[in-house]
Structure formats: structure tokens, C-alpha cells
Amino acid sequence: MGANDDGVLIVPADGDDLPPNYRPSADEEFMNSRQLAYFRRKLLVWKDEILKESEGTLEALKAEPMREPDLTDRAASETDWGIELRTRDRQRKLISKIDAAMRRIETGEYGWCDMTGEPISLARLEARPIATMTIDAQERHERDEKVSRDE
């Protein structure tokens, strides 16, 4: 046990003694404590990166007020900031999905498809650790959504 920079006590969770080169494998029990610890760590690192980017955006907004005298320059700056803020909004939504994935890890639901109850492939979880459906279920869901929108 130790404390982070904020003085918050860090209590290791099961499987937090992962070797640095550990990768989940189909040769082991699906969503065992090591796999859960691996995905927990992956999600936390991802969330931390997003939060650091957001802090950079806020600092830039505070430091660089839009005071360009030229209307064209001002319009370009406003467009750039609009894109940046939309990106941050998407990332805010992504953080919410990361938090939901963390809750699923804690409740034992992580890695299992919401629609079918089948295991989500490790390759899919590696590529998209916030996935809640198998690829087949996701495709079915998207087809159903498209059909209902077209009607």
C-alpha cells in the first residue's frame, strides 16, 4: 500500500501484481482476477490521459482569450475552439463509459455481452475496453436501430 501525489491511500486490488508484459490470453479462465486487473488498469490509464488533455484545453482557454482584431482571424479561432470543445464533450461522454466499465468490473459483469450474456472476445476488449456487446450483438443492434430509423 502507498499514497499517490494527493495523499490518497492506494490499496492494491486482486491481480494488481501484473507483470509489465502481461496480456490476457484465451488459455486462461475468462475474466479471472488478472484479466480484470489488466482491463481495470487499461481503463484507468485511458481515463487519466483524457483528463490530462482536458486540463490542457482549460488552461489554453484561460491563457489565450480570443481578442484577434481581424474578423477573419477571430472567426478561425472561434472555429478552432468550437472543434476543440466538441472533442472535449465527446471525451466527457467517453469518461462516463469508462466509469461504467469500471463499475461492471466491480460487479463481475465486465467482459460479458449485455444482450446475449456471451463472453466478449479479448481482442474486442483490447481494442475497445468499454465494449458492452459482442461484435455480432453490436452489428445486430445497429441493424435494428437502422431499420427503426428508416421506418
Side-chain angles (χ1 to χ4, degrees), residues 1-149:
M1 279 191 266
N4 67 12
D5 294 339
D6 299 327
V8 175
L9 185 63
I10 300 171
V11 179
D14 289 342
D16 274 357
D17 57 345
L18 292 175
N21 59 349
Y22 172 79
R23 289 283 183 267
S25 160
D27 298 338
E28 55 189 329
E29 180 187 347
F30 186 70
M31 287 302 124
N32 62 54
S33 63
R34 292 181 102 191
Q35 287 183 358
L36 291 171
Y38 172 82
F39 285 110
R40 180 184 307 113
R41 181 176 296 159
K42 186 175 187 76
L43 289 160
L44 288 172
V45 166
W46 191 13
K47 181 178 177 178
D48 189 52
E49 289 170 357
I50 293 169
L51 291 173
K52 284 180 181 170
E53 286 177 27
S54 295
E55 288 172 11
T57 299
L58 287 174
E59 292 305 315
L61 275 170
K62 290 177 189 174
E64 300 174 25
M66 287 190 278
R67 293 198 176 121
E68 290 89 350
D70 182 72
L71 288 177
T72 305
D73 290 343
R74 188 177 311 150
S77 289
E78 288 175 0
T79 299
D80 291 346
W81 281 116
I83 292 169
E84 184 72 23
L85 292 173
R86 279 194 301 280
T87 299
R88 294 296 156 240
D89 188 50
R90 280 194 301 275
Q91 289 179 331
R92 179 187 55 78
K93 292 173 184 171
L94 185 55
I95 286 175
S96 149
K97 290 180 180 183
I98 291 171
D99 289 343
M102 295 295 292
R103 284 190 299 275
R104 286 194 310 277
I105 286 174
E106 299 308 317
T107 62
E109 298 169 19
Y110 185 81
W112 303 95
C113 179
D114 284 352
M115 293 184 73
T116 66
E118 296 172 356
I120 299 171
S121 75
L122 291 172
R124 176 160 170 75
L125 290 171
E126 186 73 42
R128 185 141 178 92
I130 58 173
T132 59
M133 292 183 251
T134 62
I135 290 175
D136 290 342
Q138 182 73 42
E139 288 172 350
R140 225 176 7 260
H141 175 71
E142 289 172 4
R143 272 193 312 271
D144 292 346
E145 274 188 349
K146 183 180 182 322
V147 167
S148 65
R149 276 194 310 260

